[in-house]
Amino acid sequence: KTHPTRLELAKKKGHKNGDVTTAEVQDANPAVQIAPVTSRSCYGPSATTTTCPTNALQNGGAGSITEQLINTRPDVTLGGGSKTFNEKAVAGKYKNTTLLDQAKTRGYNVVNDAAGLDAVSKADQKKPLLGLFAPGNFPVNLAGPAATPDGGTKPAVKCTPNPDKPSTQPSLKAMTSKAISLLDAGNKKGFFLQVEGASIDKQDHAANACGQIGEALDMDKAVQAALKFAKHDKHTLVIVTADHGHTSQIVET
């Protein structure tokens, strides 16, 4: 059954809204704010046609996650997932047009690096902000060797900055601070913002200790940015939670 999302409910109350992640903007946690679909994998028209046929535009559905994102129209959307925007719609008004061109045609301000994000001064329903900073998920912040049980006989190893992390990619803290600034500007009705540090979970699945640590530190900085705003604003609730725990928290590899 289709249910209104938290972002849509906020929008109906007149609140501005945003969705920020270090994953693809079509990934589970950001997508649940923008798109009811029957499978989390239905990022674009191609997958939706085969996996979520009842959601496909050509079958009378609301479309793929990306197409529904464009329709839901958050004031601010920041994350990865630019690859899916290269797919073309297979039905509807924008048939044979890429989803990226559709977004631009419908008024979205599209940026793809930290400098572009810094330059944005306004985001609203007339010109919502769509920041796409990676083809898929963001690369993790820290790299290092795999965790290996050794009975405590060897010295601890250190994590190092990930050489595959582009310097042009904004941090989660930077995206959070910018989203808050844009949503708060000239806004008397308040806002709803979801921020996800996605790869704490993803790197735990991969048993990548350094990946987990770097993303947890990144998330902490984003939380501190939100708390700083909340303490100054005095009317903002900050909720920090995880979607689930992991066995690496309680047992060895």
Side-chain angles (χ1 to χ4, degrees):
K1 294 181 179 179
T2 295
H3 299 281
T5 72
R6 180 67 186 85
L7 190 150
E8 289 172 325
L9 291 172
K11 203 172 183 179
K12 287 180 181 179
K13 288 181 175 289
H15 304 312
K16 293 187 75 172
N17 48 81
D19 209 3
V20 175
T21 183
T22 54
E24 297 154 312
V25 294
Q26 304 92 349
D27 200 16
N29 284 328
V32 79
Q33 301 301 337
I34 53 177
V37 288
T38 58
S39 174
R40 61 181 285 174
S41 65
C42 294
Y43 283 18
S46 178
T48 305
T49 296
T50 57
T51 309
C52 307
T54 59
N55 299 126
L57 280 179
Q58 65 269 32
N59 297 327
S64 64
I65 292 170
T66 305
E67 290 167 303
Q68 290 192 53
L69 186 164
I70 297 170
N71 288 331
T72 301
R73 210 171 176 86
D75 295 296
V76 176
T77 306
L78 305 175
S82 63
K83 181 180 178 181
T84 301
F85 280 84
N86 293 326
E87 291 191 27
K88 293 182 178 180
V90 296
K93 180 179 179 180
Y94 299 96
K95 183 179 179 180
N96 296 325
T97 301
T98 68
L99 304 185
L100 182 62
D101 285 341
Q102 179 186 155
K104 291 178 179 178
T105 298
R106 297 175 68 177
Y108 279 84
N109 177 17
V110 181
V111 298
N112 55 25
D113 57 23
L117 181 61
D118 288 342
V120 178
S121 59
K122 187 177 182 180
D124 54 26
Q125 288 299 290
K126 289 183 179 180
K127 200 171 185 66
L129 174 61
L130 176 60
L132 299 172
F133 306 110
N137 301 316
F138 281 26
V140 296
N141 288 280
L142 295 181
T148 306
D150 59 26
T153 60
K154 297 178 181 178
V157 295
K158 292 185 177 181
C159 301
T160 55
N162 182 6
D164 296 327
K165 181 78 171 178
S167 60
T168 56
Q169 202 169 64
S171 67
L172 186 59
K173 177 184 177 182
M175 293 193 294
T176 302
S177 296
K178 189 67 173 184
I180 291 172
S181 174
L182 293 170
L183 295 176
D184 182 54
N187 179 6
K188 296 182 179 180
K189 291 191 175 182
F191 62 85
F192 167 72
L193 171 64
Q194 173 173 268
V195 175
E196 180 192 28
S199 286
I200 302 171
D201 169 56
K202 294 181 188 301
Q203 298 310 311
D204 213 324
H205 280 296
N208 179 1
C210 285
Q212 295 173 54
I213 292 167
E215 300 312 290
L217 293 172
D218 202 36
M219 182 66 179
D220 182 65
K221 292 175 183 176
V223 171
Q224 297 308 316
L227 289 174
K228 181 179 179 181
F229 170 79
K231 288 175 182 176
H232 178 265
D233 179 68
K234 295 183 172 61
H235 297 285
T236 297
L237 173 66
V238 178
I239 300 172
V240 185
T241 186
D243 48 8
H244 59 87
H246 271 281
T247 53
S248 70
Q249 296 168 327
I250 55 174
V251 295
E252 292 185 350
T253 302

